[in-house]
Amino acid sequence: NAGVTQTPKFQVLKTGQSMTLQCAQDMNHNSMYWYRQDPGMGLRLIYYSASEGTTDKGEVPNGYNVSRLNKREFSLRLESAAPSQTSVYFCASSEGQISNQPQHFGDGTRLSIL
Amino acid sequence: KNQVEQSPQSLIILEGKNCTLQCNYTVSPFSNLRWYKQDTGRGPVSLTIMTFSENTKSNGRYTATLDADTKQSSLHITASQLSDSASYICVVSARWYGGSQGNLIFGKGTKLSVKP
């Protein structure tokens, strides 16, 4: 039972390069989320998708774009990577309204921007 | 401002001992409080979710308590094991009207090390 799968697990980029982080869930969940986790800080929401076909900004959306490709997949794109985007990125999903449901997290993508 | 504060930042205990982690929050309007366990290099895993009306909730050797009046929660770990070494994150959900996305406020976590 895979749950939430993120690819790649590690990535090193140069400043200005672009890349897409992939996330897929096999639990038939409606809602999906992208977070970043930095040392000494709590997880911060970048973007979320309450349901297929919708996306909304979270707390720290600048420099990122997202695509809810279908119910299973939610991708995060960095158009022009900056060193400040060096972080661990987590994708999560939940069955329905986040206030009532636990989130299931992937194991993260560790991204370094040089 | 909605905030979640956890203490201590880190804790070292001997295998077999009990420990208690603390979480204080200033989140309004309150919806629920969650505890997550995050192993090194892994994503967080949900331990418990408690609503306003729940005072205590257990998951195996993990017992969470909630005092909504004082806005405090604790996570008690009984008979610790080496596998309990992890970060424990307190997350408070604020009720969100008009949308399906509740507002989750994450604490910075308590790093627990269990030594043999």
Side-chain angles (χ1 to χ4, degrees):
Chain A
N1 194 359
V4 177
T5 302
Q6 293 184 236
T7 56
K9 296 189 186 306
F10 303 92
Q11 185 71 47
V12 179
L13 293 177
K14 294 181 179 178
T15 298
Q17 287 185 316
S18 63
M19 82 159 294
T20 300
L21 280 61
Q22 306 287 352
C23 174
Q25 52 91 8
D26 62 3
M27 295 171 283
N28 201 35
H29 285 170
N30 289 310
S31 300
M32 298 185 72
Y33 314 84
W34 276 105
Y35 292 91
R36 61 178 289 173
Q37 187 175 41
D38 299 297
M41 301 186 72
L43 275 81
R44 293 182 292 169
L45 182 65
I46 305 171
Y47 270 93
Y48 67 96
S49 171
S51 60
E52 186 178 355
T54 69
T55 61
D56 284 288
K57 295 178 180 179
E59 181 185 355
V60 289
N62 291 345
Y64 305 96
N65 285 302
V66 290
S67 295
R68 184 73 182 267
L69 305 171
N70 48 55
K71 192 171 185 179
R72 290 187 64 248
E73 298 172 288
F74 189 38
S75 63
L76 178 71
R77 182 162 178 83
L78 287 70
E79 291 292 351
S80 179
S84 61
Q85 294 178 305
T86 292
S87 187
V88 182
Y89 291 85
F90 287 100
C91 177
S93 69
S94 63
E95 185 175 334
Q97 289 193 2
I98 187 58
S99 61
N100 299 322
Q101 302 293 332
Q103 286 181 307
H104 298 262
F105 286 83
D107 283 335
T109 292
R110 284 142 188 84
L111 183 61
S112 293
I113 316 295
L114 304 178
Chain B
K1 180 181 176 183
N2 288 333
Q3 282 188 314
V4 175
E5 301 286 343
Q6 292 187 244
S7 62
Q9 275 190 307
S10 61
L11 182 63
I12 300 174
I13 63 172
L14 291 176
E15 186 179 13
K17 299 295 186 182
N18 303 334
C19 68
T20 300
L21 314 181
Q22 300 290 343
C23 174
N24 296 336
Y25 62 92
T26 56
V27 175
S28 182
F30 176 85
S31 178
N32 61 63
L33 185 144
R34 306 143 182 255
W35 283 94
Y36 284 87
K37 178 187 179 189
Q38 185 176 20
D39 292 319
T40 301
R42 305 296 298 274
V45 174
S46 178
L47 293 175
T48 64
I49 299 176
M50 289 185 293
T51 60
F52 184 88
S53 60
E54 294 175 297
N55 299 114
T56 184
K57 204 160 194 177
S58 292
N59 179 356
R61 293 180 297 101
Y62 301 100
T63 300
T65 65
L66 173 64
D67 186 335
D69 291 332
T70 61
K71 298 187 177 181
Q72 295 180 324
S73 176
S74 64
L75 180 69
H76 186 75
I77 304 174
T78 304
S80 60
Q81 300 176 357
L82 298 179
S83 59
D84 292 330
S85 294
S87 288
Y88 291 85
I89 303 171
C90 176
V91 186
V92 180
S93 174
R95 200 171 303 130
W96 184 278
Y97 297 103
S100 63
Q101 164 62 10
N103 187 17
L104 292 180
I105 300 96
F106 286 78
K108 296 178 183 179
T110 292
K111 186 169 183 178
L112 174 66
S113 296
V114 181
K115 302 295 186 183

